[in-house]
Amino acid sequence: MKEKSYSQRRACALAGIDPRVYRRQLVRPEDGELRKHLRELSGERRRFGYRRLHILLRREGWALNWKKLYRLYREEGLTVRKRGGRKRALGTRAPIAIPQGPNQRWSLDFVSDSLSDGRRFRILCVIDDFSRECLATVVDTSLSGHRVARELDWISEARGHPCMVVSDNGTELTSNAILKWQEDRKVEWHYIAPGKPMQNGFVESFNGRLRDECLNEHLFANLRHARELISAWRVDYNHHRPHTSLDGLTPWEYHQRSKEDQTLNRANL
């Protein structure tokens, strides 16, 4: 139309489009507030792509499909950067409060070891940060996000769901299965900063005790043998081993004393 002075109808016929398509004015909302929140969320969750950000936005009440989110994600120039070289902590994370009672906060982490024939296995450790109780030591050669979610449900059947879970940014713990578990159970999940394991200090301390007092003391013939010995050590840790940070009480004794104190406080009120 500009170069050859063709009419609109003829130009559209040559281009193979309907004139109404050419004349239609594209009207899209600015979505300024959504774009701002998307940038903030992406800055906080640097290892999350647009699909996981979509889950988080839906959880907060934003009604949009993934196609629109992907368009905004690209237009804002957001992307998950490939890691290169040594891991470094980027930015800061908000501090989390110290738990004041049982079941307020659980900590998760993995420990690796090997059998006597050289095969590797992993242990999922779940700790109640208030009482230092070890809620689970799940031993297997592979522990996916779905398996972690299933184990958390089994623990919750006996104790109820926690208010918060703390973990690192491992692939199992940032998987879609874990994100769905958080959303369905209404549990807050706090990811520590990369390269800062002491932000999850309670479970890191437990991992050190587990390795020093159990893993380094035994040779495991097979997976069943490892499960039996680690489970026995967990029972001893919870019910018999005195904990110096709990005034010499065992985690189970500290948990029971806390329940009695809470009952007494309610009676006084």
Side-chain angles (χ1 to χ4, degrees):
M1 288 167 61
K2 182 177 180 180
E3 295 180 2
K4 297 184 177 294
S5 301
Y6 288 168
S7 68
Q8 185 185 105
R9 184 178 296 277
R10 184 180 180 190
C12 287
L14 291 173
I17 63 173
D18 192 283
R20 289 175 297 180
V21 175
Y22 173 78
R23 290 193 295 267
R24 181 176 181 273
Q25 296 296 321
L26 181 62
V27 179
R28 280 180 177 171
E30 292 294 331
D31 294 315
E33 186 177 354
L34 176 58
R35 290 173 183 268
K36 179 182 177 182
H37 188 60
L38 179 61
R39 290 194 300 269
E40 292 173 351
L41 200 58
S42 179
E44 180 184 349
R45 308 281 192 176
R46 293 184 176 90
R47 305 308 301 168
F48 282 14
Y50 73 94
R51 295 185 185 275
R52 290 179 183 166
L53 292 176
H54 184 223
I55 295 174
L56 297 179
L57 287 170
R58 267 194 330 180
R59 187 184 303 171
E60 295 177 4
W62 294 92
L64 74 163
N65 60 35
W66 69 268
K67 295 179 182 178
K68 178 178 179 179
L69 179 65
Y70 180 68
R71 174 174 61 81
L72 297 178
Y73 186 83
R74 294 297 298 271
E75 290 175 359
E76 292 299 318
L78 303 175
T79 184
V80 179
R81 298 183 181 275
K82 291 184 178 180
R83 294 193 183 276
R86 180 185 172 189
K87 291 184 178 179
R88 287 179 170 82
L90 301 174
T92 59
R93 298 294 188 276
I96 53 179
I98 297 174
Q100 300 300 314
N103 236 34
Q104 291 186 3
R105 191 174 75 208
W106 295 355
S107 294
L108 273 64
D109 201 9
F110 292 93
V111 180
S112 298
D113 206 355
S114 58
L115 303 175
S116 56
D117 60 3
R119 286 186 300 158
R120 303 290 295 178
F121 66 89
R122 305 181 77 197
I123 310 167
L124 169 65
C125 301
V126 185
I127 303 296
D128 186 312
D129 287 358
F130 174 75
S131 64
R132 314 300 199 273
E133 271 185 283
C134 177
L135 307 181
T137 48
V138 184
V139 180
D140 214 328
T141 54
S142 176
L143 294 167
S144 65
H146 287 283
R147 176 70 181 281
V148 173
R150 191 163 65 246
E151 295 291 341
L152 292 176
D153 278 336
W154 287 344
I155 299 171
S156 299
E157 287 180 3
R159 298 180 60 96
H161 292 101
C163 300
M164 175 186 287
V165 176
V166 182
S167 74
D168 60 19
N169 293 269
T171 54
E172 303 89 349
L173 303 177
T174 56
S175 64
N176 288 327
I178 292 298
L179 290 176
K180 186 176 186 305
W181 186 89
Q182 301 171 35
E183 182 178 7
D184 293 344
R185 278 68 174 178
K186 309 299 181 186
V187 174
E188 184 180 356
W189 201 290
H190 179 88
Y191 292 102
I192 65 173
K196 298 290 184 179
M198 288 316 298
Q199 290 183 4
N200 202 7
F202 291 112
V203 73
E204 289 291 339
S205 175
F206 172 83
N207 292 346
R209 304 285 77 74
L210 171 63
R211 186 169 297 282
D212 183 53
E213 299 174 13
C214 181
L215 302 184
N216 291 348
E217 293 294 311
H218 300 285
L219 287 176
F220 304 111
N222 50 51
L223 210 55
R224 179 180 178 181
H225 185 216
R227 286 171 177 156
E228 291 174 351
L229 290 178
I230 293 171
S231 178
W233 182 87
R234 183 176 74 86
V235 172
D236 180 76
Y237 175 88
N238 284 335
H239 296 273
H240 304 291
R241 182 186 182 278
H243 207 295
T244 54
S245 67
L246 303 179
D247 295 329
L249 298 175
T250 66
W252 176 250
E253 290 171 340
Y254 194 80
H255 176 87
Q256 292 300 111
R257 191 178 75 172
S258 173
K259 289 173 62 176
E260 294 172 0
D261 291 344
Q262 291 175 6
T263 302
L264 183 61
N265 290 337
R266 284 195 294 267
N268 292 334
L269 292 175

